[in-house]
Amino acid sequence: MTRQYDVYAIGNALVDTEIEVSDAFLSQMEIGKGMMSLVDRERQVALIQALRGEAEPHKQTCGGSAANTTIAARYFGSTCYYTCKVADDDTGALFVRDLLAAGVDTNMNGARDAGMSGTCLVMITPDAERTMNTFLGISETVGEAEIDEAALRASRYVYIEGYLVTSPSARAASIRLREMARQHGIQVAMTFSDPAMVRFFRDGLLEMIGDGVDLLFCNEDEAMEFTGTTSPEAALAALKPYARQVAMTRGAEGAVAFDGTDTHWIEGVRVQAVDTNGAGDMFAGAFLYGITHDLDFPTAGRLACAAAARVVSDFGPRLAPAEHAEVRLDVLGY
């Protein structure tokens, strides 16, 4: 059948606020550096108040891992649908407005429940590392009811965000989405999302993976943590029972992509990193665009590495549409 969407994604819908902080601030506030931590609204408000003496925040934007990936894929030229849950509040309205402006279809383009939408405070230290404190709000209740089966059936790939493992209803929705994709002959891609998800929710991730996914995205730290190995090579070998194909990022060293037959080591693009927030999301979005537009794994990997390098060169988890065109032209020649 003709597929309307290249990518159907599910994830936590969050509005991000980025701010530059010192390592001393993270220590003072007892914040685990480089990881995503779930917090309640009171804690997040306390952090924002404490940050007033640090720096002015960068602008708020529609965010969340899978949302960033979906928008990146869309800006490269993919057609995308995003399943999520936001509330009928100003934060939710901002999220939906940004998503629709990017050209991504969503189940939230209509009536929304009362409540508070999810927000994420993204703290960037001078070494470009990102540390996230997330209040999920109503996003924590995203479940099977939010799945749009008609849109799913019209898609080539399902993309599942690993952060959903923290919520019972979201985890169940992810499992159901994978099962439905299998029933309709749709490829299933999943991301581990964050080292904390692997460290503290490994059993839940195994439930989401089930009998295996078609494509797994991860970074090398997540891969080694999940498999109990000490090298990217060993981690890649140990991941093969869980995924038919793997795309593993390696920071400045680039990435490694296993296409089901061959392993491709992809050289990184050297840049001065300013903000690593969104690098993995951008990599996944560019890679998904590539493989849904007839690129082989090595070429999709080169495009994804170039896009990730561009996004870490400035603040913010995404690039402007014109920057996607520039990266595509640089790597692909069109």
Side-chain angles (χ1 to χ4, degrees):
M1 66 176 289
T2 301
R3 305 287 187 180
Q4 179 182 357
Y5 299 109
D6 295 315
V7 181
Y8 180 110
I10 185 170
N12 283 321
L14 307 170
V15 169
D16 289 348
T17 299
E18 277 201 353
I19 191 164
E20 299 171 65
V21 304
S22 63
D23 286 295
F25 177 84
L26 297 182
S27 297
Q28 174 190 344
M29 301 302 293
E30 299 181 341
I31 299 170
K33 183 176 177 179
M35 301 177 74
M36 190 284 289
S37 300
L38 294 177
V39 298
D40 58 25
R41 182 59 180 164
E42 289 71 24
R43 169 64 169 170
Q44 198 177 68
V45 169
L47 288 173
I48 292 170
Q49 291 174 342
L51 281 165
R52 287 176 180 166
E54 282 275 319
E56 290 299 316
H58 296 275
K59 75 172 187 176
Q60 291 185 317
T61 183
C62 158
S65 177
N68 290 335
T69 290
T70 306
I71 291 172
R74 176 68 189 121
Y75 281 167
F76 273 112
S78 294
T79 52
C80 302
Y81 189 101
Y82 186 59
T83 281
C84 60
K85 193 168 186 179
V86 294
D88 185 17
D89 59 2
D90 290 344
T91 302
L94 185 156
F95 183 93
V96 174
R97 185 169 60 249
D98 279 4
L99 198 63
L100 295 177
V104 176
D105 291 342
T106 178
N107 65 309
M108 287 288 99
N109 188 18
R112 301 190 293 273
D113 293 342
M116 295 185 67
S117 297
T119 52
C120 181
L121 184 61
V122 185
M123 293 161 281
I124 310 300
T125 41
D127 60 359
E129 182 63 88
R130 99 289 186 267
T131 299
M132 299 181 290
N133 275 205
T134 301
F135 166 64
L136 288 175
I138 202 170
S139 183
E140 187 174 14
T141 67
V142 66
E144 295 181 41
E146 277 66 58
I147 297 174
D148 184 331
E149 187 170 1
L152 169 66
R153 293 180 65 179
S155 302
R156 298 177 63 186
Y157 269 85
V158 159
Y159 181 77
I160 299 171
E161 177 186 300
Y163 285 124
L164 296 176
V165 72
T166 66
S167 159
S169 65
R171 186 167 65 250
S174 300
I175 293 168
R176 179 59 182 147
L177 191 60
R178 172 178 52 77
E179 293 170 347
M180 293 169 69
R182 287 279 182 254
Q183 293 169 8
H184 298 305
I186 298 162
Q187 301 287 295
V188 178
M190 180 176 159
T191 174
F192 280 155
S193 292
D194 190 272
M197 300 303 100
V198 177
R199 188 170 305 163
F200 301 115
F201 297 94
R202 187 177 186 277
D203 288 345
L205 289 175
L206 284 170
E207 289 182 51
M208 290 166 67
I209 292 170
D211 60 359
V213 296
D214 295 293
L215 174 58
L216 178 66
F217 289 97
C218 57
N219 65 35
E220 60 183 4
D221 290 336
E222 295 159 358
M224 290 186 288
E225 178 81 30
F226 185 82
T227 59
T229 55
T230 57
S231 72
E233 294 85 353
L236 182 63
L239 284 174
K240 290 177 182 178
Y242 303 100
R244 187 170 60 86
Q245 300 171 323
V246 178
M248 182 196 305
T249 59
R250 306 183 61 233
E253 300 304 314
V256 55
F258 174 66
D259 63 13
T261 302
D262 298 316
T263 300
H264 310 277
W265 295 88
I266 301 154
E267 188 175 351
V269 178
R270 298 286 173 168
V271 295
Q272 179 62 50
V274 172
D275 174 8
T276 57
N277 182 36
D281 305 335
M282 173 60 71
F283 180 95
F287 199 91
L288 286 168
Y289 161 78
I291 61 175
T292 57
H293 286 75
D294 301 322
L295 300 185
D296 58 21
F297 266 46
T299 308
R302 288 196 299 273
L303 179 70
C305 283
R310 177 74 73 95
V311 84
V312 303
S313 301
D314 203 352
F315 289 100
R318 295 201 297 271
L319 302 175
E323 293 178 284
H324 289 76
E326 291 170 4
V327 171
R328 191 176 58 208
L329 179 63
D330 288 345
V331 177
L332 305 179
Y334 58 85

